């Protein structure tokens, strides 16, 4: 579940960006050469109303290089608006993202009904005042580049100006800073700003540390309908999408469907609702597999899955030995499980507090997902499907959610290479 960007050993991209920005402000002032009116001219619009999607405007990034250097920010914002998007993020950092405050001002002037977030490495009060005058309805405050008192002060100033503040948390110390004033809008970035490595499970893990009332925004790494399903079933309230939306505005349709909890695909159960955080409010079974899985992680041992369970006694023994996941085989095997066993174990959820997965082989001559497995998943008798054949990712997502796919490595080098996939 990760997409990685390779960086030079020991390089901290976040600190490089901040240092360059401080130098530019010292040389050029906080407007950095942009045309910013002395008073705000654009109306303030509430940030992050329905739909719960923020689409970004950016030309490049340190990890991906050029995304689309020829972007017309106003035209792109219009295409987002045509697809129902009402909240935008405009990158205004120049050296690493090729952005400008002029982009933000132009977008807001052309589309005054849209809510616009200034996304940058903002450092002080004047940054916020300039953002407000340029037309921002919200600002990003990155906790890792600000001291605790600075963060609280900037959050208070944004509120005084009428802007929302998306407080981005990623490191352990960030949560302590934010806890002091309990920001109502919190972003958790799947991208580590020091290395620009992306791991979609990082926000799922970190969100459990927020112990105040809030709305949580999943930032970075979302490209598909399936990614959006991970977001909503992990308890997030909204998502910020960058590269995927810039490159292909048609991707927005699938992402919005995922945020509504709709299952992709055209087979039985397609379009069914998905409950997000452990209940059936979404119109279907709870599918918060990844949230529940990462909640079981411990520092003293790896997660353990015991597969090939065929009877209740083996299930109870596996749980007693510390299994986190039980696997039930629904492929040609001497240890093929009987669906009736899952019915029996459903009544033992309190005694067997583990996750259950159905192991299948599909694709090619093996055909599609067996109907009995689909039924077990839809009824919540298994928590996920483990694909064990040669299935392609898109094929897996159409057949079952949640799912993961087993990988076979021929060497240690192949295992090491997974981080670059």
């Amino acid at each position: 579940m990760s997409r990685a960007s390779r960086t030079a050993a020991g390089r901290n991209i976040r600190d490089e960006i901040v240092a360059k920005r401080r130098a530019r402000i010292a040389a050029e002032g906080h407007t950095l050469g942009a045309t910013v009116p002395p008073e705000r001219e654009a109306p303030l619009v509430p940030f992050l109303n329905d739909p719960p999607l923020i689409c970004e405007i950016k030309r490049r990034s340190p990890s991906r290089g050029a995304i689309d250097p020829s972007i017309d920010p106003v035209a792109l914002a219009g295409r987002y608006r045509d697809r129902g998007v009402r909240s935008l993020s405009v990158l205004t950092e120049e050296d690493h993202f090729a952005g400008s405050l002029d982009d933000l001002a132009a977008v807001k002037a052309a589309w005054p009904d849209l809510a616009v977030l200034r996304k940058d490495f903002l450092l002080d009060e004047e940054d916020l005042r300039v953002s407000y005058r340029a037309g921002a309805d919200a600002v990003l405050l990155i906790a890792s580049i600000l001291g605790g008192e600075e963060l609280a002060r900037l959050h208070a100033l944004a509120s005084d100006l009428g802007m929302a503040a998306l407080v981005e948390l990623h490191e352990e110390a960030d949560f302590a800073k934010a806890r002091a004033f309990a920001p109502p809008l919190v972003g958790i970035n799947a991208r580590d700003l020091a290395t620009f490595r992306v791991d979609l499970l990082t926000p799922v893990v970190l969100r459990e540390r927020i112990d105040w009332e809030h709305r949580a925004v999943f930032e970075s790494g979302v490209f598909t309908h399936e990614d959006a399903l991970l977001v909503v079933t992990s308890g997030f309230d909204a998502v910020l999408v960058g590269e995927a939306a810039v490159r292909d505005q048609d991707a927005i349709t699938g992402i919005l469907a995922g945020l509504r909890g709709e299952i992709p695909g055209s087979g039985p159960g397609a379009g069914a609702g998905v409950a997000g955080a452990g209940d059936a409010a979404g119109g279907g079974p709870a599918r918060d597999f990844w949230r529940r899985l990462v909640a079981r992680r411990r520092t003293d041992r790896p997660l353990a899955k015991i597969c090939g369970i065929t009877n209740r006694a083996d299930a109870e023994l596996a749980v007693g030995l510390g299994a986190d996941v039980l696997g039930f085989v629904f492929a040609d095997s001497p240890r093929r499980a009987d669906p009736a066993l899952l019915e029996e174990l459903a009544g033992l959820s309190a005694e067997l507090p583990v996750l259950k997965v159905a192991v299948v082989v599909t694709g090619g001559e093996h055909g599609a997902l067996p109907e009995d497995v689909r039924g077990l998943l839809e009824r919540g008798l298994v928590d996920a499907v483990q694909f064990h054949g040669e299935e392609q990712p898109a094929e897996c997502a159409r057949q079952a959610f949640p799912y993961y796919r087993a990988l076979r490595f021929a060497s240690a080098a192949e295992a090491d290479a997974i981080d670059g996939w």
Side-chain angles (χ1 to χ4, degrees), residues 51 53-58 71 73-90 107 111 114 241-250 252 256:
L53 172 63
I54 308 163
C55 283
E56 197 150 85
I57 295 173
K58 64 179 177 183
I71 278 177
V74 170
L76 180 57
R79 293 195 291 274
Y80 288 159
R81 185 176 183 272
D82 290 344
R83 287 162 174 77
V85 177
R86 290 296 176 263
S87 296
L88 307 181
S89 167
V90 180
V107 167
W111 309 109
L114 299 182
V241 177
E243 180 186 347
V246 173
R247 291 189 185 277
D248 179 12
Q249 291 81 65
D250 289 340
I252 293 171
L256 285 173

Side-chain angles (χ1 to χ4, degrees), residues 69-279:
S70 65
I71 278 177
D72 177 340
V74 170
L76 180 57
R79 293 195 291 274
Y80 288 159
R81 185 176 183 272
D82 290 344
R83 287 162 174 77
V85 177
R86 290 296 176 263
S87 296
L88 307 181
S89 167
V90 180
L91 255 300
T92 60
E93 196 276 341
E94 182 173 350
D95 295 292
H96 298 78
F97 295 91
S100 166
L101 271 170
D102 285 329
D103 292 342
L104 187 150
V107 167
K108 188 63 181 180
W111 309 109
D113 60 317
L114 299 182
V116 179
L117 169 79
R118 181 184 182 186
K119 192 174 184 186
D120 207 327
F121 294 71
L122 305 180
L123 300 170
D124 55 29
E125 288 92 338
E126 187 60 19
D127 266 341
L128 265 63
R129 295 189 182 96
V130 167
S131 302
Y132 174 79
R133 286 161 39 208
D137 303 290
V139 289
L140 178 70
L141 300 179
I142 303 173
S144 64
I145 67 173
L146 299 166
E149 292 184 2
E150 288 177 307
L151 181 63
R153 186 167 62 250
L154 294 184
H155 187 273
L157 176 58
S159 181
D160 289 344
L161 292 170
M163 295 188 296
L166 177 60
V167 178
E168 181 175 302
L169 310 177
H170 190 86
E171 302 170 358
E172 187 65 43
D174 297 344
F175 292 85
K177 294 175 188 176
R179 190 170 289 111
F181 62 94
L185 188 60
V186 175
I188 303 182
N189 205 332
R191 175 175 286 110
D192 182 336
L193 292 181
T195 63
F196 269 61
R197 181 182 185 275
V198 172
D199 184 340
L200 292 183
L201 287 185
T202 293
V204 180
V205 174
L206 295 180
R207 187 179 179 276
E208 301 299 319
R209 301 181 187 177
I210 307 174
D211 53 8
W212 61 88
E213 188 174 347
H214 69 284
R215 295 176 72 195
V217 180
F218 191 109
E219 299 179 57
S220 303
V222 171
F223 283 75
T224 66
H225 188 158
E226 180 190 349
D227 294 338
L229 276 171
L230 169 67
V231 169
V232 74
T233 57
S234 298
F236 283 83
D237 302 289
V239 64
L240 190 154
V241 177
E243 180 186 347
V246 173
R247 291 189 185 277
D248 179 12
Q249 291 81 65
D250 289 340
I252 293 171
T253 300
I255 291 170
L256 285 173
L259 291 176
R260 291 191 296 268
E262 297 175 7
I263 301 291
S266 56
V274 175
D279 59 26

